[in-house]
Amino acid sequence: MKQVMGIINVNGDSFYSGSRCTSREQIKRKIEQMVEEGADILDFGACSTRPGSTPVDESREWEGISLALSVVRDELREKDSACSRLFKRVGQRHALSIDTFRSSIVEKAYDLIGDFTVNDISAGEDDRRMLLLAGRLKLPYIAMHKKGSPLDMQQRCDYERGVVAEVTEYFKKFHAKALEHGITEYIIDPGFGFAKTVEQNYQLLSGIGRLKSSISSIAGSGERPVRILIGLSRKSMIWKPLGISPEQALCPTAALNLQALLLGGDILRVHDVAPAAECIKLYRQLAPCLNKDF
């Protein structure tokens, strides 16, 4: 199953200005637009983790997340609202995602709204309570690979055995940690742009199939199939080689998203939902024709 995750940044510091929503009305309009365009998951974040950034403190992050969740809660009171339709189709725990590395934010969000998916850029490494909490609450979990912090990660792009091999090994170790903490449903995010050079990002993209098969082999047939989240949208791995800006990177983002689907990606995390949904439709046309002689 291929899906689209729409990025809604409830802060003013995202690297792409088009994703910023800082008022109730902006959040509501963005939700309606994304659902109309075909989003399967709404991913709310209030703490920028772009390279070189300093994360906001917990109180400011919660201010943004609680605002977004209050909009979602109001939407769910309306029978035919965008959120109501989406959650009915996909289920709240899978349609609502919160992008945070802080367990305290997860705990408060769960108390406010109930089930959702945790989208953690640190795979539990930046907060020792995170995996324990996600396991206790039985929440779906997205684990991303990175090294270091946003301030220093671009100085930590050393992969002696190659980026694909080392990211694969990282997620093999995460699988064991997930089982240990009672996390039975997780998605892996290779972390494009996080402690990777432009060249390493493309090596990693080309190795998505190997990463997926390696993790699936250790997960075993009795568990949920491993799914890969692809977060390439408007990132510097796209606009730097082309000499353009993030605002100009929509078409090349779509090109790489289709390639990511063909290589084994499952969820496209994007700023622009409609083009990603179109990529999935074209993938479904193309995939049955591959490796066939016409």
Side-chain angles (χ1 to χ4, degrees):
M1 177 174 58
K2 307 297 184 182
Q3 293 182 305
V4 179
M5 171 187 279
I7 301 167
I8 303 178
N9 287 311
V10 283
N11 63 61
D13 194 34
S14 170
F15 78 90
Y16 174 56
S17 60
S19 68
R20 300 171 191 165
C21 297
T22 55
S23 70
R24 295 184 66 87
E25 189 55 39
Q26 286 177 326
I27 294 168
K28 181 178 172 61
R29 283 201 306 268
K30 184 67 80 172
I31 289 171
E32 290 171 348
Q33 177 189 353
M34 286 187 165
V35 173
E36 179 66 25
E37 291 179 348
D40 301 291
I41 308 163
L42 301 174
D43 185 50
F44 295 97
C47 179
S48 176
T49 52
R50 58 180 170 77
S53 66
T54 300
V56 299
D57 62 29
E58 180 187 334
S59 62
R60 280 194 60 193
E61 183 182 6
W62 176 242
E63 183 180 340
I65 292 297
S66 61
L67 173 63
L69 294 182
S70 69
V71 174
V72 170
R73 194 166 55 178
D74 289 347
E75 281 267 300
L76 292 176
R77 295 192 180 107
E78 300 177 25
K79 188 175 182 180
D80 196 40
S81 70
C83 270
S84 295
R85 296 195 306 273
L86 175 62
F87 286 17
K88 184 177 180 180
R89 174 168 64 86
V90 182
Q92 178 172 319
R93 65 191 278 108
H94 296 116
L96 174 62
S97 170
I98 296 178
D99 181 0
T100 185
F101 56 86
R102 292 181 170 119
S103 62
S104 56
I105 299 294
V106 170
E107 200 160 26
K108 291 176 183 178
Y110 184 82
D111 290 341
L112 185 63
I113 199 75
D115 283 346
F116 59 92
T117 295
V118 179
N119 184 7
D120 181 4
I121 67 159
S122 77
E125 292 186 351
D126 289 352
D127 185 334
R128 293 182 180 180
R129 292 186 62 243
M130 180 65 92
L131 297 182
L132 286 168
L133 181 64
R136 178 169 62 82
L137 297 178
K138 302 300 179 187
L139 297 175
Y141 190 83
I142 300 170
M144 194 193 82
H145 172 271
K146 71 172 178 64
K147 294 197 291 185
S149 70
L151 283 174
D152 68 1
M153 62 187 174
Q154 292 313 101
Q155 285 75 55
R156 306 184 71 172
C157 300
D158 51 314
Y159 297 92
E160 288 187 12
R161 292 180 292 114
V163 66
V164 177
E166 292 198 22
V167 170
T168 299
E169 185 62 28
Y170 179 89
F171 283 117
K172 286 182 177 180
K173 292 177 181 177
F174 174 79
H175 175 75
K177 288 193 287 187
L179 293 182
E180 178 187 345
H181 290 91
I183 298 173
T184 58
E185 183 179 358
Y186 70 85
I187 294 161
I188 62 177
D189 177 351
F192 294 103
F194 288 79
K196 286 101 180 170
T197 65
V198 169
E199 293 77 13
Q200 288 167 343
N201 282 314
Y202 284 96
Q203 292 165 10
L204 189 56
L205 178 59
S206 70
I208 288 299
R210 281 182 287 151
L211 170 62
K212 188 173 184 177
S213 62
S214 294
I215 305 304
S216 296
S217 68
I218 64 167
S221 59
E223 299 176 42
R224 293 178 183 269
V226 173
R227 304 183 73 209
I228 308 286
L229 184 147
I230 303 293
L232 304 169
S233 184
R234 298 181 182 267
K235 286 187 175 178
S236 62
M237 65 176 282
I238 297 173
W239 54 262
K240 279 186 177 179
L242 297 176
I244 59 177
S245 68
E247 286 71 23
Q248 297 169 307
L250 176 56
C251 288
T253 291
L256 287 187
N257 275 337
L258 180 56
Q259 184 63 30
L261 294 170
L262 293 168
L263 289 168
D266 299 291
I267 302 170
L268 300 178
R269 183 177 184 268
V270 296
H271 301 95
D272 312 277
V273 167
E278 290 171 349
C279 284
I280 290 176
K281 288 179 181 177
L282 293 178
Y283 164 82
R284 289 173 180 153
Q285 293 290 315
L286 180 59
C289 304
L290 298 176
N291 302 318
K292 291 186 178 181
D293 187 13
F294 292 97

